Amino acid sequence: MVSLMPTIIAVSELSKIYESRFQALKGINLDIRRGEIFALLGPNGAGKTTLISIICGIVKASTGSVRVAGHDSVADYRAARAMIGLVPQELTTDAFESVWGAVSFSRGLFGKPANPQHIEKVLRDLSLWDKRDSKIMTLSGGMKRRLLIAKALSHEPEILFLDEPTAGVDVNLRRDMWQLVRGLQASGVTIILTTHYIDEAEEMADRIGVISKGEIILVDDKAELMRKLGRKQMILQLQTALEHIPPALAAYQLELSGDGNELIYTFDAQDERNGIVALLKDLNDAAIAFKDLHTTQSSLEDIFVSLVKDEK
Amino acid sequence: MNWHAMHAIYFFEMARTRRTLLQSVISPVISTSLYFVVFGAAIGSRIDEIEGISYGAFIVPGLIMLSLLTQSVANASFGIYFPKFTGTIYELLSAPVSYLEVAAAYVGAAASKSIILGLIILATAGLFVPLHVAHPFWMLLFLVLTAVTFSLFGFIIGIWADNFEKLQLVPLLIITPLTFLGGSFYSINMLPPVWQTITLFNPVVYLVSGFRWSFYDVADVSVGISLFMTLSFLGVFLVIVAWIFKTGYRLKT
């Protein structure tokens, strides 16, 4: 359904060369669809944060443009930025301010009139209501992370950027965040998240973009990406261990486990003629019996590592 | 105009003053009171009247100007430097707010604090010496213009500084010496002719002179020149701030 949604962010030929002459982005073209969760994956220094920073107005682009719901992010920055909430990677907060004060400040900064009911809802949703009068310096790391999300949601944005939202948080909080993100998506918020945790992208995202060395090397629906690039393996547990793979089976490029008890066959998941039937017949002809079999599919992490390695 | 943003920044900054009341208000008031005790009562009693004004009363405008300049610069520079230091500047840069609105809110808050402080010091001075304000309108005008001008200067310093040392450098090494040498505690007519000429290159002379004129109708330089110089500084700082905003100097990479 998300694939039918209109574009809400259009990044066109975006490049960034810093004063140090380091080129962080090289002609990025990217469309984000309204209502989707888009995960931007990439190794350290790939350009993820630079890309987000340009879209949000923190860093100037060298060339190219960004349009947010049709508004140019430079010429019509007020309309563009008013739609966006940003949760930065670093836990940057004003330590001496209260939780309530900090979140209310953010709402005003983004041009919205005071709305205590909305601030209360956001703080309750993020389990910060009890801490509303506490100074930020007294909060734990996880609470500060939630506070940054509360600040980003204070002005009811239509687009939320989450830059490494679960970096350094415990498992429970991570699960809570995922639930929160799903809830936001259900309410119509478009979410763009960068993450190092592949399982997070796999769990959350509708679409995935991979950025490496300042270039988007792939954008696809998560399911499609898994289908296209995911390799499947069939593992046969043999009744009798083999010392070597018979020459008659060489065409299948089988692997034999160290103890000789398993034969591993790797095949293309999307290929209808994947050779399984023929392999089973040839195994029978070679009098190799097996007592069990199971299949596994590549994880997104395998795909990501493979893509980035290919780039190198 | 994003009035909500300006309101948010202004009151956020004013709230900082409430949180740091001791440092922001009480400390300068105590310092000024000590100046009155030392220069007004102890030393001042041995100094003749200056142009018909007792020494204690003569230094009141200079003392207010000293606090006004240092506090305007300190408040505004810290106000914009602190978000840079903590990293919360990201929020300001990503908000639908123009640089003009950002500067107006920060400078407005810093100037407000300085003006309030100046008036408190004026009231404190009234406890030590008999006060007379000959031209209340001009006194307020000089007070507001100077506070805004030097808050702008502080804003520029806050953007320029990339560490706390730089933040303190200009107030300590430039503002304070210029104020002390700018006729805060004496009339420049008391100096030898050569030094009178040299002193005219000190911009603070014009601020103190104009401000003192509004109190006692006496001035080292013409009040018109004082006003012109004050407005000139305001113009120069506005041009620098406009350039900073145009280029994103030290704000955006």
Side-chain angles (χ1 to χ4, degrees), chain A residues 16 18 56-60 77-78 81 86 88 92-94 96-97 105-106 108-113 148 151, chain B residues 1-2 4-5 8-9 12 16 19 82 86-88 90-98 101 247-248 252-253:
Chain A
K16 176 64 186 176
Y18 285 103
C56 293
I58 297 168
V59 171
K60 290 190 288 189
Y77 68 93
R78 285 187 196 271
R81 292 185 196 170
L86 168 65
T92 48
T93 54
D94 191 337
F96 305 104
E97 186 53 75
F105 169 75
S106 298
L109 195 60
F110 277 76
K112 287 285 180 82
L148 289 177
K151 281 165 75 69
Chain B
M1 290 288 276
N2 187 344
H4 290 298
I9 295 170
F12 192 84
R16 194 198 305 282
R19 287 200 303 266
F82 196 60
T86 58
T88 54
Y90 84 88
E91 202 174 18
L92 211 57
L93 296 175
S94 63
V97 56
S98 72
E101 291 155 356
T247 59
K252 283 191 179 184
T253 51

Side-chain angles (χ1 to χ4, degrees), chain B residues 4-24:
Chain B
H4 290 298
M6 292 173 70
H7 179 274
I9 295 170
Y10 182 87
F11 283 99
F12 192 84
E13 284 301 301
M14 294 306 281
R16 194 198 305 282
T17 306
R18 281 198 297 276
R19 287 200 303 266
T20 57
L21 205 61
L22 195 68
Q23 179 194 330
S24 300

Side-chain angles (χ1 to χ4, degrees), chain B:
Chain B
M1 290 288 276
N2 187 344
W3 294 106
H4 290 298
M6 292 173 70
H7 179 274
I9 295 170
Y10 182 87
F11 283 99
F12 192 84
E13 284 301 301
M14 294 306 281
R16 194 198 305 282
T17 306
R18 281 198 297 276
R19 287 200 303 266
T20 57
L21 205 61
L22 195 68
Q23 179 194 330
S24 300
V25 177
I26 297 175
S27 174
V29 168
I30 290 174
S31 301
T32 309
S33 300
L34 289 174
Y35 279 120
F36 279 119
V37 170
V38 174
F39 291 106
I43 298 174
S45 61
R46 295 168 186 269
I47 298 176
D48 292 338
E49 287 187 343
I50 301 173
E51 300 188 43
I53 307 156
S54 74
Y55 186 69
F58 182 83
I59 63 172
V60 170
L63 281 177
I64 295 174
M65 201 51 80
L66 175 66
S67 289
L68 202 65
L69 297 185
T70 51
Q71 290 300 312
S72 294
V73 170
N75 288 333
S77 60
F78 188 77
I80 190 65
Y81 176 75
F82 196 60
K84 283 171 55 184
F85 176 72
T86 58
T88 54
I89 191 84
Y90 84 88
E91 202 174 18
L92 211 57
L93 296 175
S94 63
V97 56
S98 72
Y99 286 134
L100 177 70
E101 291 155 356
V102 171
Y106 274 108
V107 169
S112 298
K113 288 185 233 177
S114 303
I115 291 166
I116 292 168
L117 187 67
L119 294 174
I120 291 174
I121 291 172
L122 183 64
T124 309
L127 301 174
F128 293 89
V129 291
L131 278 179
H132 170 68
V133 182
H135 308 284
F137 169 77
W138 288 98
M139 190 274 279
L140 280 174
L141 184 70
F142 274 113
L143 193 73
V144 171
L145 275 180
T146 307
V148 170
T149 302
F150 279 79
S151 294
L152 269 174
F153 186 39
F155 189 78
I156 294 165
I157 293 168
I159 288 175
W160 165 74
D162 51 15
N163 57 48
F164 276 102
E165 191 183 5
K166 281 186 181 174
L167 199 67
Q168 297 293 334
L169 205 65
V170 175
L172 282 177
L173 296 185
I174 298 177
I175 301 290
T176 305
L178 285 182
T179 311
F180 271 88
L181 298 173
S184 295
F185 298 102
Y186 55 85
S187 165
I188 63 170
N189 294 326
M190 296 162 74
L191 299 171
V194 177
W195 282 104
Q196 283 186 33
T197 307
I198 292 172
T199 301
L200 291 177
F201 288 96
N202 179 352
V204 178
V205 165
Y206 303 93
L207 305 175
V208 173
S209 175
F211 197 51
R212 184 171 288 135
W213 171 84
S214 71
F215 277 76
Y216 307 123
D217 228 350
V218 295
D220 289 330
V221 291
S222 151
V223 67
I225 294 176
S226 285
L227 185 62
F228 172 77
M229 293 299 283
T230 309
L231 291 172
S232 298
F233 297 140
L234 180 65
V236 168
F237 294 146
L238 279 173
V239 168
I240 295 172
V241 168
W243 173 80
I244 286 172
F245 291 166
K246 193 177 174 188
T247 59
Y249 171 75
R250 296 271 168 113
L251 285 173
K252 283 191 179 184
T253 51

